[in-house]
Amino acid sequence: MAETSRLSPPADLLEVAKRAWTNAYAPYSGFKVGAALRAESGAIYLGANIENASYTVTRCAEQSAVQAMASNGERRFSELLVFTAAAQPASPCGACRQVMHEFAPEATVYLVNPQGAVKVYTVAELLPDGFALERPA
Ligand code: THU
């Protein structure tokens, strides 16, 4: 389990996640989230939280990034970085954990804030025993 530390996260993912954070659409909560992931090909995909006047259809940043990756035909990622301007780097919600688990339970997740605090986990640490569908015979 991660402790907050000053270790440096991947610089390229941090730069892209900050760009996504800038583009976040969060007029209702005022809480912007930026995410960037490194897919198996080496390509980096980004995602931001995109809120909606109908609150429940808001899309989280991590889900946006995973969906961008999958929409581009990729199915695996090795690292995902979440950037928020929070005193403690924000931790992915339960739904985001399940979305990440679908494609990369062993991926490394970096949670980062502007002060340089970093928390590091694997997806499996964030979501032990995540749901996997067993199809009926
Ligand atoms: N949010 C994310 O983008 N990721 C999470 O894991 C949790 C929450 C967003 C959704 C909403 O726009 C804002 O943060 C406040 O909940």
Side-chain angles (χ1 to χ4, degrees):
M1 190 62 76
E3 288 176 27
T4 305
S5 72
R6 299 261 153 204
L7 66 83
S8 40
D12 52 356
L13 291 185
L14 180 57
E15 185 188 332
V16 175
K18 283 181 174 173
R19 191 164 81 234
W21 181 86
T22 304
N23 292 332
Y25 177 72
Y28 303 103
S29 73
F31 189 77
K32 295 182 169 195
V33 185
L37 66 79
R38 193 185 320 281
E40 200 168 36
S41 69
I44 293 175
Y45 296 90
L46 84 176
N49 57 327
I50 308 296
E51 297 187 347
N52 193 281
S54 179
Y55 294 174
T56 58
V57 298
T58 288
R59 180 69 59 207
C60 289
E62 300 90 325
Q63 294 180 45
S64 298
V66 171
Q67 288 177 359
M69 176 201 78
S71 299
N72 211 48
E74 300 217 46
R75 296 290 183 261
R76 309 280 303 159
F77 63 95
S78 57
E79 302 177 289
L80 185 149
L81 187 147
V82 183
F83 180 81
T84 49
Q88 287 298 316
S91 194
C93 76
C96 287
R97 293 174 190 212
Q98 178 67 26
V99 169
M100 293 189 282
H101 180 271
E102 177 77 17
F103 295 102
E106 73 295 340
T108 304
V109 179
Y110 299 89
L111 311 177
V112 186
N113 74 2
Q115 290 75 38
V118 182
K119 290 182 176 179
V120 186
Y121 303 89
T122 64
V123 171
E125 284 173 340
L126 290 171
L127 184 67
D129 207 15
F131 178 73
L133 187 64
E134 187 176 317
R135 293 171 191 275

